[in-house]
Amino acid sequence: MKPLPGSGICIRRCGRTAATRWPLLFLPGGNYLLYADYQPEGIDPSVDTIPLHIAGNSPDPVATSSEKLTAVTDGGLDIKVDLAAPLHTGAASLLPFRIEREGEQLRATALSPYLGAAAHLILIHQTCKDFLHVHTEAGTGAPVVAHTQFEKAGIYRMWIQFDASGIVHTADFTLDVKEATPAHTPMQHPAHHHG
């Protein structure tokens, strides 16, 4: 998405209206889901799901069926999700992100806090569109790590966003989460889920 003046969202909650504006340009037409993830002062975090229809040519949807664990950010950094084991529902899931610039691995000190966290991670289930927002932390072996738990099996699209050298980088991945087995036990985690 690219900037386009004039777009805006107006949120009404508890009798008060808060208006904010995000300029966006939708290149292909079609149906979109807008996830508005926010926390008004003194109120628990919320996510609103807003359907949007954009007029124009709508390409056929592309179903993703396999994992994609490597990416290049829009700022030219190479990232790998370095999974130690396959992902399962109801189990402690560790997502380490290894980040390289021109073949040299970055340490956690190369990243600046971004919106109060080492990085922000968004996951959306491909079928039911459940939304997960995970606050990551600085790691030792990898500069960014995330702890979470998946409630549903299936394909998840995932985006990470972080600040390196004053530039906000974004990259996307695909995860394949399998049904739990008896060897996996649930845990509590910092992600918040919304369907």
Side-chain angles (χ1 to χ4, degrees):
M1 296 181 183
K2 298 181 179 179
L4 177 68
S7 301
I9 298 296
C10 187
I11 300 169
R12 181 178 295 275
R13 193 175 184 89
C14 298
R16 297 182 179 179
T17 299
T20 188
R21 217 173 261 277
W22 295 283
L24 300 173
L25 173 62
F26 294 86
L27 295 179
N31 295 316
Y32 290 80
L33 280 179
L34 173 65
Y35 295 87
D37 185 6
Y38 59 95
Q39 182 176 7
E41 186 175 353
I43 300 176
D44 291 337
S46 297
V47 171
D48 291 335
T49 304
I50 305 166
L52 297 176
H53 177 73
I54 306 299
N57 294 329
S58 179
D60 293 333
V62 178
T64 303
S65 58
S66 60
E67 282 193 320
K68 172 179 175 283
L69 301 179
T70 60
V72 179
T73 73
D74 44 5
L77 300 182
D78 296 300
I79 307 184
K80 178 183 179 181
V81 186
D82 197 11
L83 297 179
L87 299 171
H88 291 85
T89 57
S93 297
L94 176 65
L95 305 176
F97 293 84
R98 300 193 179 276
I99 306 173
E100 294 185 355
R101 177 187 285 122
E102 297 179 349
E104 181 178 349
Q105 182 168 306
L106 300 185
R107 298 182 179 274
T109 53
L111 308 184
S112 300
Y114 179 59
L115 299 177
H120 288 264
L121 198 62
I122 298 297
L123 300 100
I124 299 176
H125 193 283
Q126 180 173 266
T127 304
C128 64
K129 309 305 181 187
D130 278 2
F131 175 98
L132 291 78
H133 181 179
V134 182
H135 289 178
T136 66
E137 58 191 39
T140 52
V144 175
V145 295
H147 300 267
T148 192
Q149 176 179 316
F150 295 95
E151 297 177 358
K152 297 179 181 179
I155 297 294
Y156 287 79
R157 293 285 288 133
M158 177 172 72
W159 293 263
I160 188 172
Q161 197 166 57
F162 59 91
D163 183 329
S165 303
I167 299 174
V168 176
H169 295 261
T170 304
D172 68 281
F173 306 87
T174 304
L175 302 181
D176 186 2
V177 179
K178 304 297 186 183
E179 287 289 355
T181 64
H184 296 87
T185 55
M187 66 171 253
Q188 297 296 318
H189 58 85
H192 51 272
H193 298 239
H194 304 270

